[in-house]
Amino acid sequence: MAKKSLNEQAVEILRIAEETGVQTNFFFVTTFKRYQVQLSNLGELEKAIKETGTLVTKEYVKGRANIYVNPAVTEYNKTTDSANRTVTTLMKIIKGFAKEDEERDADYDPLMAIINGDSDGEE
């Protein structure tokens, strides 16, 4: 199974969210916005890595140069891990919302709906 890019994951998450109707849920919306920020940060980090490379040189007072991994690489890896966890959270929200809908449908009682103020007895 081929891994999806983060942007492909975002499109898929939105599609699934719309199917379940969760796209207006507060927790979904705020978590998805955070995911979009992470995607933006990843884009900027990728650009920085392409421009400066994966290795950087630091020179000290005595003029000696040491080679280090570009800090953008470390931040990119951290942000990718965070974005992947955010995707997991989004999917849990979607699945939880879908499960609540199923339970609500299974527990629906037209008589109780009328008693509770639903005048026509329908969902």
Side-chain angles (χ1 to χ4, degrees), residues 31-93:
T31 304
F32 192 76
K33 283 183 181 180
R34 186 169 44 254
Y35 183 63
Q36 290 174 313
V37 169
Q38 291 167 328
L39 289 178
S40 174
N41 292 345
L42 286 168
E44 289 181 32
L45 288 166
E46 284 177 10
K47 192 184 311 180
I49 293 167
K50 285 179 184 174
E51 289 173 2
T52 59
T54 57
L55 300 176
V56 294
T57 303
K58 282 188 182 179
E59 290 189 28
Y60 292 93
V61 178
K62 296 183 180 182
R64 290 180 282 167
N66 290 325
I67 298 175
Y68 294 94
V69 172
N70 186 338
V73 172
T74 303
E75 290 306 313
Y76 181 85
N77 290 337
K78 287 179 186 177
T79 305
T80 300
D81 288 342
S82 181
N84 288 338
R85 286 192 306 275
T86 303
V87 167
T88 301
T89 301
L90 285 167
M91 295 309 294
K92 286 180 182 177
I93 292 169

Side-chain angles (χ1 to χ4, degrees), residues 1 4-5 15-17 24 26-27 48 62 85-86 89 96 102 105:
M1 181 170 141
K4 292 183 179 183
S5 74
R15 185 189 64 73
I16 294 169
T24 58
F26 173 79
F27 295 112
K62 296 183 180 182
R85 286 192 306 275
T86 303
T89 301
E102 289 173 11
D105 290 344

Side-chain angles (χ1 to χ4, degrees), residues 98-109:
K99 186 175 181 179
E100 285 176 16
D101 281 350
E102 289 173 11
E103 289 172 357
R104 195 175 316 122
D105 290 344
D107 293 340
Y108 180 73
D109 182 346

